[in-house]
Amino acid sequence: MSTKGYKCPCCGGSLVFSSDTQKLRCPSCGNMISMDAVRQYAETVESVEEQGDTYDWNEGSKRRQGEWTVKQKDGRKVYTCPSCGGELDAAETTAATKCPYCDSPVILPGQVSGQFQPDLVIPFQLDENDAKEVYKDFCKGKKLIPRAFHSEHNIKEMTGVYVPFWLFSCHTKGTLVYDAEKMKRWRDDYYEYTQKDLYLVTREGSMFFENIPVDGSAELDDTYMESLEPFDMSKAVPFQEGYLSGYEALKYDVPKEKCRRRAEERIKSTFIDVINSSINRGEYYSIRQKSSRVACNRGKVRYALLPVWTFNVEHKDKTYRFAVNGQTGKLVGELPVDKGLFWKHAIGVFAGSSVILYLLMLALSLNS
């Protein structure tokens, strides 16, 4: 398996995708190139390179200039950087990364082709500095977290990564059945009466679900990934490898068949919630769902790479994990609580409540 990097046609520097301009940028000379231009350039150059010169001397083919080579070492795939000669030991699910020695961006085409080629990609809209600002804004106003936790100096291993997702779309019809009860009470001079009327209530409906995302990476926390939703899929574009340049990217290692069950759970849960909200509960004394049936048809599954910033914050020998939606800026993560600040705040609230209670008691005693 070879690897690919995009080179600037002006100076030969490594091109990286810019979230600001949505173009490929050369850090060396500042040249900006649109994705379409890069695609046309690459198609022309690769077409010529693939044909190459023909000298049938039976000495085997030569490696193309600028191409990463791959070899087996201790049962692992090891890639050699054409820029500096450094060796990169990539994980089985790695689709894009950087050379750890010269920082050259690299794409592993075999990881994003064939059955692993995404249908769609949402390009990064936020760069690393944007993600840090999101984190700092998130910490503002939270009085109980340690003050040192606010500093961006504690942020470690910030990585922009394209996460593999399966997108499920379908048309859904369903029926829900409820046991309902109406109750009426009255009395006369001698007795109190209660009348109960039992009903079998049914509700039917249809809905269309489009692009329900399910995380296709086993190494990422599904709860975190779902908490980052929603992604604006109207901004998704047909996949091109150039969008990965300068970022990490993973290929899926959880097949769509295993992810389908989670999508079906979300479809059914949402459908039931919507149908339940359509019932006028004030009409009944009580109502309880008895059974349900959901049927999906015209189902479609697509494979997409969605942008996520991941990073850790270290505090007192403990690591706290965070993730930021690379399109919308939504952040999820866990925060520590400073016990000293907690008790200081709690005592202040208790003291304030005691003063208010004392004033109320004093006012009551003066009025009596």
Side-chain angles (χ1 to χ4, degrees), residues 302-315:
R302 294 191 290 180
Y303 175 40
L305 297 181
L306 306 184
V308 176
W309 284 101
T310 63
F311 59 94
N312 299 324
V313 176
E314 297 179 356
H315 180 70

Side-chain angles (χ1 to χ4, degrees), residues 27 86 98 161 191 263 273 277-278 297 315 339 345:
K98 295 181 180 180
V161 56
Y191 300 100
D273 288 345
S277 66
S278 71
N297 54 60
H315 180 70
K339 294 182 179 179
H345 181 72

Side-chain angles (χ1 to χ4, degrees), residues 227-289:
S227 299
L228 289 176
E229 296 177 25
F231 289 88
D232 183 0
M233 295 307 302
S234 68
K235 300 295 192 299
V237 297
F239 175 74
Q240 292 187 51
E241 294 173 357
Y243 288 111
L244 309 186
S245 187
Y247 294 92
E248 302 280 336
L250 301 175
K251 74 172 185 179
Y252 72 84
D253 56 351
V254 181
K256 60 185 175 184
E257 291 77 17
K258 288 189 176 181
C259 291
R260 189 175 61 194
R261 176 175 296 181
R262 178 55 184 156
E264 292 169 352
E265 290 174 353
R266 298 183 68 180
I267 288 169
K268 185 169 184 176
S269 174
T270 302
F271 182 86
I272 290 175
D273 288 345
V274 171
I275 297 298
N276 282 341
S277 66
S278 71
I279 297 175
N280 182 6
R281 296 184 176 272
E283 185 179 351
Y284 302 98
Y285 175 74
S286 67
I287 186 167
R288 178 177 59 86
Q289 182 181 318

Side-chain angles (χ1 to χ4, degrees), residues 33-105:
I33 308 176
S34 70
M35 292 299 299
D36 287 339
V38 169
R39 177 181 56 79
Q40 294 172 10
Y41 177 83
E43 287 176 354
T44 302
V45 172
E46 289 178 4
S47 175
V48 173
E49 286 183 344
E50 286 173 0
Q51 294 179 26
D53 299 327
T54 303
Y55 301 97
D56 190 10
W57 289 342
N58 272 331
E59 293 185 358
S61 60
K62 295 184 178 180
R63 179 173 61 91
R64 295 200 302 264
Q65 183 179 5
E67 184 177 284
W68 288 54
T69 58
V70 59
K71 62 182 179 181
Q72 293 288 333
K73 184 177 181 180
D74 299 329
R76 298 174 291 109
K77 289 181 180 179
V78 177
Y79 302 88
T80 303
C81 175
S83 298
C84 70
E87 291 189 344
L88 168 66
D89 185 4
E92 185 64 30
T93 56
T94 299
T97 184
K98 295 181 180 180
C99 174
Y101 305 102
C102 67
D103 212 32
S104 296

Side-chain angles (χ1 to χ4, degrees), residues 68-316:
W68 288 54
T69 58
V70 59
K71 62 182 179 181
Q72 293 288 333
K73 184 177 181 180
D74 299 329
R76 298 174 291 109
K77 289 181 180 179
V78 177
Y79 302 88
T80 303
C81 175
S83 298
C84 70
E87 291 189 344
L88 168 66
D89 185 4
E92 185 64 30
T93 56
T94 299
T97 184
K98 295 181 180 180
C99 174
Y101 305 102
C102 67
D103 212 32
S104 296
V106 57
I107 300 168
L108 312 181
Q111 305 287 61
V112 288
S113 61
Q115 64 175 326
F116 295 108
Q117 180 171 338
D119 300 299
L120 301 169
V121 60
I122 293 182
F124 272 88
Q125 303 296 313
L126 305 179
D127 62 18
E128 181 174 342
N129 290 329
D130 294 330
K132 289 180 179 179
E133 288 300 317
V134 168
Y135 169 73
K136 288 190 286 186
D137 290 341
F138 179 76
C139 291
K140 287 179 181 177
K142 294 178 174 57
K143 299 179 180 179
L144 299 183
I145 66 173
R147 290 183 176 87
F149 206 76
H150 291 258
S151 174
E152 69 176 61
H153 297 296
N154 293 325
I155 297 177
K156 308 296 181 184
E157 300 176 13
M158 176 163 277
T159 305
V161 56
Y162 281 101
V163 178
F165 279 86
W166 294 106
L167 306 177
F168 294 84
S169 302
C170 68
H171 181 262
T172 304
K173 290 184 177 180
T175 303
L176 275 73
V177 179
Y178 304 84
D179 284 328
E181 179 181 276
K182 289 184 179 181
M183 187 167 63
K184 181 180 179 181
R185 287 193 177 100
W186 73 93
R187 62 184 305 164
D188 58 20
D189 292 338
Y190 302 100
Y191 300 100
E192 181 176 298
Y193 303 90
T194 300
Q195 176 182 317
K196 292 184 178 181
D197 298 318
L198 303 179
Y199 297 85
L200 188 66
V201 179
T202 62
R203 286 287 188 276
E204 295 182 353
S206 63
M207 299 176 61
F208 182 73
F209 291 88
E210 186 172 16
N211 295 325
I212 298 176
V214 179
D215 175 19
S217 172
E219 67 183 83
L220 296 177
D221 191 318
D222 292 344
T223 303
Y224 268 52
M225 294 301 104
E226 288 190 7
S227 299
L228 289 176
E229 296 177 25
F231 289 88
D232 183 0
M233 295 307 302
S234 68
K235 300 295 192 299
V237 297
F239 175 74
Q240 292 187 51
E241 294 173 357
Y243 288 111
L244 309 186
S245 187
Y247 294 92
E248 302 280 336
L250 301 175
K251 74 172 185 179
Y252 72 84
D253 56 351
V254 181
K256 60 185 175 184
E257 291 77 17
K258 288 189 176 181
C259 291
R260 189 175 61 194
R261 176 175 296 181
R262 178 55 184 156
E264 292 169 352
E265 290 174 353
R266 298 183 68 180
I267 288 169
K268 185 169 184 176
S269 174
T270 302
F271 182 86
I272 290 175
D273 288 345
V274 171
I275 297 298
N276 282 341
S277 66
S278 71
I279 297 175
N280 182 6
R281 296 184 176 272
E283 185 179 351
Y284 302 98
Y285 175 74
S286 67
I287 186 167
R288 178 177 59 86
Q289 182 181 318
K290 183 180 180 68
S291 59
S292 65
R293 178 184 179 275
V294 172
C296 297
N297 54 60
R298 301 203 299 270
K300 182 171 63 175
V301 184
R302 294 191 290 180
Y303 175 40
L305 297 181
L306 306 184
V308 176
W309 284 101
T310 63
F311 59 94
N312 299 324
V313 176
E314 297 179 356
H315 180 70
K316 291 187 176 180

Side-chain angles (χ1 to χ4, degrees), residues 317-332:
D317 299 325
K318 184 175 180 180
T319 300
Y320 297 85
R321 298 177 298 116
F322 290 87
V324 175
N325 185 316
Q327 180 192 38
T328 67
K330 184 177 181 181
L331 181 145
V332 295

